[in-house]
Amino acid sequence: MSDWFAKLQQDFVLNFVSDNRWKYLTSGLANTLKITFFAVLIGIALGVVIAIVRSTWDKNKETMRPGLGKVLLGVGNALCQIYLTVIRGTPVLVQLMIIYYIIFASSNNGVLIATLAFGINSGAYVAEIIRGGIMSTDNGQFEAGRSLGFNYVQTMWYIVIPQALKSVLPALANEFIVLLKETSVAGYVAIRDLTKGGDIIRGVTYSPFLPLIAVALIYLVMVMFFTWLVGRLERRLRSSDH
Amino acid sequence: MTTEKLIQVKDLQKHFKGGEIKALDGVTTDIHRGEVVVVIGPSGSGKSTFLRCLNLLELPTGGTITFEGTDITDPHCNINLHRQKMGMVFQHFNLFPHMTLLKNMTIAPVKLLKKSQADAEKKAMELLERVGLADRAGAYHSPLSGGQKQRLAIVRALCMEPDVMLFDEPTSALDPEMVGEVLDVMKQLARDGMTMVVVTHEMGFAREVGDRVLFMADGKLIEEGSPYKLFTNPQSPRLQDFLGKVL
């Protein structure tokens, strides 16, 4: 037992303390958090816009008066459909490599590129989640907003979207947990995220156990913290009505 | 009641499936300022569709609606501006559950009429006082009874200071003991001279408060006149049959 413990201590020093190797983990963690945070923002922004376009089209295509508005909305809807089909139909790693090696071949700002790639990827899933929320919000809420004199966008913004977001909060939280962990493939295109940091240590020390377990634990703690945070938010929102 | 025509409805049509189903089949009538018009009829007669066409929540497929001199069925007219002058009360209240009651009352005046929050709240509190719900202002709406919710929905519409109030079966979703309190608020409104169009099954209300009653069936306006005339001396067999069932 004491042998095993002494070995572990030795391993710990080798993997994290010598040459300040722990810095691979902290700088990697910083990149992972940066990528995830800004990708979430991009994902929500894209998702809300696409969800509004798609649900507006689905609800109104039969009753809309013919004209420029209907044509524009139809085109917008078609573009959204293509985006959703392509993004959800291809692996995120392939998308990341295409963006890194083809679209932004001349740039070497890996973190920024990864943020864009994961944001665009996440937007597709967020869009469908929010669209579900919009479609399931009682149409009476929409009509009440319109009857007061709010235009379509105002009604969506003040009345429908807040209720839709609230009802899909658990699904959204799940999407963000998936996104946080999905960023671990960023190392594939030489971006030094948390996973890559652990892997670099492993490559230097030839001792895989501690670096990889440490990486796993850090992800786990982050997800647990995030889950707790969302749980609190949900309880707060629930207490504010029903 | 004045002779000024607030809403003129001409040959209003609402067809579905390319004319196969005629929810409204040529309805023509005028609604005068200060008048209380009660619309009655069997379910499926098109009375709710008629009401929802008045503020274009339902787009008519034919005919015109002129509100305060403007043809609101014209695609170039900005219906949002006219809706600000047409309050609507729904069967299922449709209060906004993600806002406090006071926010429910003030969001439209603040965002649309550009009132200050303080002014909008003052107006809302005045109206809440009148319906006896001022003490609820800070709450979210759930612990309220149906009757309270509907009175609040009426106040929300009144906060926009509309020229006409449209009621779409306002008491149909209420427990029987709550119906009275909502009708009382509506009666008070009528006494204050509000122009009202009310779709309802409450024949007592129609008789007591209505200046004019419209009887609809199969998307058509079958008979109209004073409540006294319609209820005591119905002309058409459809109305006689309907009154025989509901009275």
Side-chain angles (χ1 to χ4, degrees):
Chain A
M1 184 68 197
S2 68
D3 268 8
W4 180 82
F5 193 75
K7 170 87 168 51
L8 193 70
Q9 209 171 8
Q10 210 181 354
D11 256 13
F12 186 87
V13 172
L14 172 70
N15 281 305
F16 301 133
V17 182
S18 309
D19 293 339
N20 279 336
R21 289 195 181 112
W22 56 274
K23 281 190 174 165
Y24 287 114
L25 292 185
T26 51
S27 67
L29 175 63
N31 280 339
T32 291
L33 287 176
K34 256 187 250 169
I35 293 170
T36 307
F37 179 76
F38 290 105
V40 163
L41 292 188
I42 295 172
I44 292 179
L46 268 177
V48 168
V49 171
I50 290 166
I52 290 178
V53 171
R54 294 261 296 119
S55 58
T56 302
W57 176 254
D58 281 355
K59 278 192 199 170
N60 300 301
K61 60 183 169 200
E62 271 119 34
T63 54
M64 250 179 125
R65 286 169 168 141
L68 184 64
K70 184 165 183 175
V71 172
L72 285 178
L73 188 61
V75 171
N77 180 65
L79 288 175
C80 292
Q81 289 270 34
I82 293 169
Y83 164 79
L84 292 175
T85 308
V86 170
I87 295 297
R88 295 198 301 169
T90 55
V92 65
L93 183 52
V94 176
Q95 292 164 17
L96 178 66
M97 290 199 291
I98 288 175
I99 292 179
Y100 189 83
Y101 290 120
I102 303 175
I103 300 174
F104 287 106
S106 56
S107 164
N108 55 7
N109 190 340
V111 173
L112 182 70
I113 293 167
T115 304
L116 274 177
F118 287 110
I120 291 169
N121 179 267
S122 179
Y125 296 93
V126 172
E128 287 300 274
I129 292 171
I130 295 179
R131 189 171 70 92
I134 291 173
M135 298 302 265
S136 68
T137 302
D138 177 16
N139 200 42
Q141 291 290 315
F142 177 80
E143 289 187 344
R146 292 309 300 269
S147 78
L148 286 167
F150 286 115
N151 65 31
Y152 189 93
V153 174
Q154 288 170 321
T155 307
M156 278 295 179
W157 188 252
Y158 295 126
I159 293 153
V160 176
I161 296 285
Q163 295 182 56
L165 282 180
K166 195 183 128 182
S167 65
V168 300
L169 193 63
L172 272 184
N174 189 51
E175 164 59 20
F176 298 142
I177 288 172
V178 169
L179 176 65
L180 171 68
K181 293 180 299 178
E182 234 171 28
T183 58
S184 63
V185 302
Y188 214 91
V189 290
I191 294 158
R192 291 193 170 187
D193 73 322
L194 175 60
T195 305
K196 187 72 180 177
D199 198 43
I200 290 171
I201 298 175
R202 181 197 60 81
V204 175
T205 60
Y206 294 107
S207 153
F209 181 76
L210 275 182
L212 296 183
I213 294 296
V215 166
L217 276 177
I218 295 171
Y219 279 113
L220 184 65
V221 168
M222 284 196 294
V223 169
M224 284 166 65
F225 174 71
F226 185 69
T227 308
W228 171 80
L229 209 65
V230 171
R232 274 193 58 150
L233 182 63
E234 259 182 72
R235 272 194 299 282
R236 243 192 70 188
L237 287 175
R238 209 178 310 139
S239 73
S240 74
D241 81 43
H242 298 303
Chain B
M1 190 174 101
T2 63
T3 52
E4 182 196 344
K5 290 171 182 171
L6 191 64
I7 306 176
Q8 288 170 277
V9 182
K10 278 209 188 81
D11 192 31
L12 196 63
Q13 318 260 350
K14 175 72 183 180
H15 295 179
F16 294 102
K17 295 186 179 170
E20 216 175 288
I21 302 165
K22 293 176 176 169
L24 285 178
D25 192 9
V27 175
T28 301
T29 190
D30 293 333
I31 289 149
H32 300 89
R33 196 179 282 279
E35 190 180 26
V36 177
V37 176
V38 181
V39 188
I40 60 171
S43 56
S45 60
K47 54 192 192 307
S48 272
T49 309
F50 169 72
L51 190 81
R52 291 161 53 81
C53 276
L54 292 183
N55 67 353
L56 262 57
L57 276 188
E58 209 79 68
L59 268 184
T61 45
T64 60
I65 300 163
T66 310
F67 173 61
E68 296 182 327
T70 312
D71 176 9
I72 57 172
T73 48
D74 179 353
H76 299 292
C77 120
N78 182 358
I79 185 61
N80 300 314
L81 288 176
H82 298 287
R83 281 189 184 136
Q84 294 177 10
K85 299 265 125 209
M86 307 170 111
M88 185 151 190
V89 175
F90 299 86
Q91 186 177 351
H92 295 288
F93 332 128
N94 299 344
L95 293 174
F96 305 133
H98 60 300
M99 300 174 187
T100 64
L101 290 175
L102 201 55
K103 190 81 192 289
N104 263 277
M105 310 294 139
T106 56
I107 182 163
V110 169
K111 302 286 182 195
L112 297 172
L113 304 181
K114 306 295 171 203
K115 278 193 177 185
S116 73
Q117 184 67 32
D119 281 356
E121 278 181 19
K122 192 162 155 265
K123 172 86 186 165
M125 289 306 289
E126 243 174 64
L127 289 163
L128 287 171
E129 199 84 52
R130 269 176 51 187
V131 299
L133 288 169
D135 55 326
R136 301 295 188 128
Y140 291 86
H141 78 251
S142 293
L144 301 166
S145 72
Q148 289 172 320
K149 286 183 188 180
Q150 195 59 298
R151 277 143 67 200
L152 289 161
I154 293 172
V155 169
R156 180 176 66 185
L158 288 175
C159 280
M160 288 296 283
E161 299 174 45
D163 292 337
V164 57
M165 287 283 284
L166 312 174
F167 292 85
D168 189 5
E169 305 200 17
T171 56
S172 298
L174 298 176
D175 291 338
E177 73 268 27
M178 314 268 179
V179 170
E181 60 188 74
V182 171
L183 291 182
D184 283 344
V185 171
M186 292 169 63
K187 282 176 201 168
Q188 195 189 339
L189 258 183
R191 271 199 301 277
D192 294 347
M194 176 61 77
T195 313
M196 294 162 67
V197 184
V198 185
V199 170
T200 187
H201 294 292
E202 295 292 328
M203 296 304 145
F205 177 84
R207 205 177 246 174
E208 189 185 338
V209 187
D211 293 311
R212 187 155 52 99
V213 175
L214 311 183
F215 173 71
M216 289 183 68
D218 302 328
K220 292 192 180 73
L221 183 52
I222 305 281
E223 204 169 329
E224 63 177 308
S226 72
Y228 180 79
K229 194 183 123 207
L230 252 75
F231 285 118
T232 54
N233 188 18
Q235 300 296 311
S236 66
R238 285 301 302 265
L239 178 56
Q240 288 163 1
D241 178 50
F242 177 73
L243 290 177
K245 280 176 188 152
V246 298
L247 289 183

